[in-house]
Amino acid sequence: MACLLETPIRMSVLSEVTASSRHYVDRLFDPDPQKVLQGVIDMKNAVIGNNKQKANLIVLGAVPRLLYLLQQESSSTELKTECAVVLGSLAMGTENNVKSLLDCHIIPALLQGLLSPDLKFIEACLRCLRTVFTSPVTPEELLYTDATVIPHLMALLSRSRYTQEYICQIFSHCCKGPDHQTILFNHGAVQNIAHLLTSLSYKVRMQALKCFSVLAFENPQVSMTLVNVLVDGELLPQIFVKMLQRDKPIEMQLTSAKCLTYMCRAGAIRTDDNCIVLKLDHDLKHAHELRQAAFKLYASLGANDEDIRKKIIETENMMDRIVTGLSESSVKVRLAAVRCLHSLSRSVQQLRTSFQDHAVWKPLMKVLQNAPDEILVVASSMLCNLLLEFSPSKEPILESGAVELLCGLTQSENPALRVNGIWALMNMAFQAEQKIKADILRSLSTEQLFRLLSDSDLNVLMKTLGLLRNLLSTRPHIDKIMSTHGKQIMQAVTLILEGEHNIEVKEQTLCILANIADGTTAKELIMTNDDILQKIKYYMGHSHVKLQLAAMFCISNLIWNEEEGSQERQDKLRDMGIVDILHKLSQSPDSNLCDKAKTALQQYLA
């Protein structure tokens, strides 16, 4: 029975809504022009942000009546303007709304309205046309059906900043191929729109810029013309370059970069070793400055946004152009290209795909062979990313002699290069085969490793500890390395734990000890070193939880009862008072530390 009640309730609600909407439509037919005007104004207020109301009014036939009033000579200009505003609001609803408007032939009616001498009415018609034409359901060809429309729109560009904004937006959305480009070009689009790039209105500048990007796309004729256009005494390409600057909005930077890129592709700007030579021999900055600006732009855009990185890389020929930039004669261009690639290399997906497809590592390795420090710093930082465990470039980089190159960087006087060199080696050593780890230790030498462990730069020290930690992973590797370098490594660990270092450094050092304690034979280097054992005990009682936890890992690995000799190690550590400390830590307010202590105590009970 309850279900039966729903139908009349829904019908009642629908009838109320329809009745309300019908009231708005009925008022459009009132014989009193003033009441009609007020009805349209009320309708305008009712549909703002209300898609349901818009749909109801369209179903009830509001559109044909609004279009009739808009075209009637007897209608006041104010009424016509309000009708255009309401139609524009209806077009901002769903795509079905726009289809309904198109079925009622809204575009010819609005285009006819542009012949009015009244600017407000023209602006309202253009605003509505802009909304209709930017909808994906509107055929662009409707703009070009009447040959008189484009020249009239060109003439209206001078009327106001709103006519400029709306018309440029219409052009940029309706220019979909060479035929459309030719029509707009032949009617003076370049000359009429160029001066808008210096408008005080950002929206006008932006829409004008978008127009040029669609006009120049794969169009040599337009591109050749653009390089010769002067705006306030400045060449158009120079204005585009200024729009690439980092203080400009990202949308503007991207679109101006597109314009310049399309001009280059079309051959309007040709590149040689030294400069961009314009066809009419104009003085547009050097090619290196242009390429540098473009690479800097893409580096900036892709720095922190994965979607933008994807768009940049998917742009046709973009990766090839950036990679080519690595071999430019200009140091500044090479630096900008490397920075751009470094920015893009922050993407895990691109490291796995595009960077491998384009074999980016090959030119990068060449750059690293002989380059100024400023390039080496960025290139080596990028190499760190390419050497991450999941990067398919890691193996070919290793085979190309990267180990010796990176070990060489660790000896640089430049701290940034030392950091990057050791960082890259750290990434290289992560989950690496024993042979790679042995190559690193052999090329680096224990002497250099310990120099790095006493480096005055904190970042160098931290990354060196990270390298040691990665080298000392996997039991066979731990035992192998400690059998040949154990004495020196234990000395280094002792010095760091005794030194005036911050919490993070000492935590990393204790983690290295924990790794050593995980070895089968290596752990004896700890058990036979009373000094180290006392230090582990000390840090178990430290005030900082991070250090306590790291020390706990050492103890856990030493006393694990499933391993040979565990009983003897447990006994020795008990005699040192370790069990007493474990009991205290099992009462710690820190849940993680408490759990680790309880787990360790269970090894004594098992």
Side-chain angles (χ1 to χ4, degrees):
M1 291 293 290
C3 292
L4 295 176
L5 293 173
E6 293 186 8
T7 302
I9 289 173
R10 286 181 178 175
M11 289 178 63
S12 174
V13 172
L14 181 60
S15 63
E16 286 178 16
V17 172
T18 305
S20 172
S21 301
R22 170 63 67 185
H23 171 66
Y24 288 113
V25 177
D26 289 344
R27 292 171 68 189
L28 300 180
F29 293 88
D30 196 290
D32 185 344
Q34 197 58 39
K35 289 184 178 178
V36 173
L37 173 61
Q38 190 57 50
V40 174
I41 292 172
D42 291 344
M43 183 183 288
K44 175 183 69 175
N45 295 330
V47 298
I48 293 174
N50 190 334
N51 281 343
K52 189 173 183 180
Q53 184 71 279
K54 292 176 184 180
N56 285 334
L57 291 172
I58 290 172
V59 168
L60 292 170
V63 175
R65 183 61 180 173
L66 288 167
L67 288 172
Y68 172 81
L69 294 171
L70 182 141
Q71 296 175 87
Q72 278 296 99
E73 288 186 11
S74 59
S75 296
S76 67
T77 302
E78 186 180 4
L79 175 58
K80 291 180 179 181
T81 302
E82 292 294 345
C83 286
V85 171
V86 174
L87 289 165
S89 185
L90 294 177
M92 287 182 183
T94 65
E95 290 183 2
N96 284 332
N97 288 10
V98 178
K99 288 178 183 176
S100 299
L101 294 173
L102 292 172
D103 290 341
C104 293
H105 307 290
I106 187 174
I107 289 179
L110 292 171
L111 290 174
Q112 186 67 27
L114 298 182
L115 298 175
S116 167
D118 187 87
L119 181 57
K120 291 294 182 187
F121 179 46
I122 290 172
E123 289 175 348
C125 288
L126 283 172
R127 190 183 302 114
C128 186
L129 281 167
R130 181 271 311 269
T131 305
V132 173
F133 274 119
T134 54
S135 169
V137 302
T138 305
E140 296 84 14
E141 288 300 329
L142 293 176
L143 183 66
Y144 305 96
T145 305
D146 184 342
T148 65
V149 169
I150 300 300
H152 186 62
L153 288 173
M154 293 295 178
L156 290 175
L157 278 169
S158 62
R159 295 295 299 273
S160 74
R161 71 180 182 91
Y162 296 111
T163 64
Q164 292 166 353
E165 177 190 341
Y166 303 147
I167 291 171
C168 284
Q169 198 167 359
I170 291 169
F171 285 165
S172 64
H173 275 83
C174 294
C175 186
K176 297 297 184 183
D179 291 342
H180 297 162
Q181 288 173 325
T182 300
I183 293 171
L184 294 173
F185 179 78
N186 288 342
H187 282 95
V190 173
Q191 293 76 14
N192 283 299
I193 297 173
H195 72 281
L196 302 183
L197 291 171
T198 58
S199 168
L200 294 176
S201 165
Y202 170 75
K203 288 183 178 180
V204 172
R205 294 199 305 277
M206 197 59 239
Q207 295 304 328
L209 189 59
K210 287 181 178 179
C211 272
F212 282 120
S213 74
V214 296
L215 285 169
F217 179 67
E218 295 183 350
N219 193 309
Q221 183 185 23
V222 173
S223 295
M224 294 294 184
T225 303
L226 292 183
V227 299
N228 195 32
V229 173
L230 283 169
V231 180
D232 294 341
E234 202 167 18
L235 284 168
L236 207 54
Q238 290 175 315
I239 293 175
F240 292 153
V241 171
K242 283 186 176 179
M243 288 178 165
L244 284 171
Q245 292 172 356
R246 294 182 67 180
D247 62 336
K248 298 295 187 291
I250 288 176
E251 182 186 32
M252 179 172 282
Q253 293 181 49
L254 270 176
T255 311
S256 55
K258 279 185 182 179
C259 292
L260 291 165
T261 302
Y262 297 155
M263 291 167 71
C264 285
R265 288 180 186 172
I269 302 173
R270 65 181 177 86
T271 308
D272 60 17
D273 290 341
N274 300 312
C275 65
I276 289 178
V277 180
L278 302 183
K279 298 297 183 183
L280 301 168
D281 198 29
H282 277 297
D283 183 25
L284 172 69
K285 305 290 182 181
H286 289 93
H288 296 146
E289 294 178 11
L290 177 59
R291 293 170 73 81
Q292 180 190 357
F295 291 148
K296 279 185 175 180
L297 164 66
Y298 288 122
S300 176
L301 293 177
N304 300 304
D305 193 303
E306 178 66 15
D307 290 336
I308 291 181
R309 283 195 287 263
K310 190 170 184 290
K311 287 178 183 177
I312 293 171
I313 287 173
E314 288 177 351
T315 301
E316 186 181 358
N317 298 325
M318 183 58 71
M319 282 297 286
D320 291 331
R321 292 174 183 274
I322 300 172
V323 170
T324 301
L326 295 177
S327 57
E328 283 274 3
S329 59
S330 165
V331 172
K332 289 184 177 180
V333 174
R334 274 185 287 157
L335 177 59
V338 173
R339 279 182 174 153
C340 185
L341 284 171
H342 180 237
S343 176
L344 299 176
S345 74
R346 291 188 172 101
S347 166
V348 173
Q349 179 63 27
Q350 302 311 328
L351 281 176
R352 286 174 168 162
T353 54
S354 301
F355 275 69
Q356 181 67 5
D357 295 341
H358 294 270
V360 173
W361 66 270
K362 288 184 179 179
L364 183 68
M365 290 300 290
K366 287 184 180 178
V367 169
L368 286 163
Q369 300 295 334
N370 183 23
D373 276 10
E374 58 182 342
I375 292 180
L376 281 177
V377 168
V378 185
S380 56
S381 183
M382 178 183 162
L383 192 62
C384 292
N385 292 344
L386 292 179
L387 285 169
L388 289 167
E389 185 265 337
F390 52 76
S391 169
S393 301
K394 183 173 182 176
E395 188 173 339
I397 290 173
L398 285 169
E399 293 171 355
S400 68
V403 174
E404 290 190 5
L405 185 150
L406 293 171
C407 289
L409 290 182
T410 68
Q411 299 181 39
S412 170
E413 293 183 4
N414 186 328
L417 286 178
R418 295 202 301 279
V419 168
N420 288 345
I422 204 71
W423 196 341
L425 289 170
M426 181 186 81
N427 289 349
M428 189 184 287
F430 180 73
Q431 295 185 353
E433 299 173 358
Q434 173 63 37
K435 180 183 179 302
I436 294 171
K437 293 181 178 180
D439 286 346
I440 293 172
L441 280 169
R442 183 177 60 254
S443 297
L444 189 61
S445 81
T446 50
E447 291 79 10
Q448 176 61 11
L449 180 65
F450 299 129
R451 274 196 290 271
L452 293 168
L453 287 172
S454 58
D455 199 293
S456 59
D457 188 285
L458 177 60
N459 289 324
V460 173
L461 173 56
M462 284 294 289
K463 291 299 178 286
T464 306
L465 291 171
L467 169 61
L468 259 181
R469 193 171 172 182
N470 286 348
L471 289 171
L472 293 167
S473 62
T474 310
R475 282 184 179 173
H477 299 177
I478 295 170
D479 291 334
K480 177 68 175 175
I481 291 171
M482 292 305 291
S483 69
T484 54
H485 301 86
K487 184 180 178 181
Q488 298 96 321
I489 290 174
M490 295 302 287
Q491 285 175 350
V493 166
T494 303
L495 287 172
I496 292 172
L497 291 177
E498 288 178 348
E500 295 294 325
H501 295 290
N502 64 27
I503 298 297
E504 286 70 26
V505 168
K506 294 200 173 184
E507 180 190 18
Q508 281 290 311
T509 308
L510 287 167
C511 287
I512 290 169
L513 273 180
N515 283 12
I516 296 170
D518 193 40
T520 302
T521 58
K523 57 168 49 82
E524 289 307 311
L525 288 166
I526 297 177
M527 292 304 301
T528 57
N529 190 325
D530 290 341
D531 188 22
I532 286 290
L533 288 174
Q534 288 297 332
K535 284 178 170 53
I536 295 172
K537 178 182 176 182
Y538 167 77
Y539 284 108
M540 286 179 72
H542 200 275
S543 59
H544 203 290
V545 173
K546 279 186 176 182
L547 297 182
Q548 288 180 291
L549 281 168
M552 277 293 306
F553 278 117
C554 297
I555 295 299
S556 295
N557 286 342
L558 291 172
I559 65 175
W560 204 254
N561 57 35
E562 294 177 2
E563 297 173 5
E564 187 179 348
S566 60
Q567 188 61 56
E568 291 81 0
R569 290 191 293 274
Q570 287 182 8
D571 291 343
K572 180 170 183 176
L573 293 172
R574 180 189 285 110
D575 293 342
M576 286 179 58
I578 295 296
V579 175
D580 294 335
I581 297 174
L582 289 175
H583 280 295
K584 287 180 182 177
L585 294 179
S586 67
Q587 305 301 316
S588 170
D590 184 274
S591 59
N592 199 5
L593 185 59
C594 174
D595 291 343
K596 292 291 185 297
K598 288 178 180 178
T599 301
L601 283 170
Q602 287 172 4
Q603 299 305 305
Y604 276 93
L605 300 174

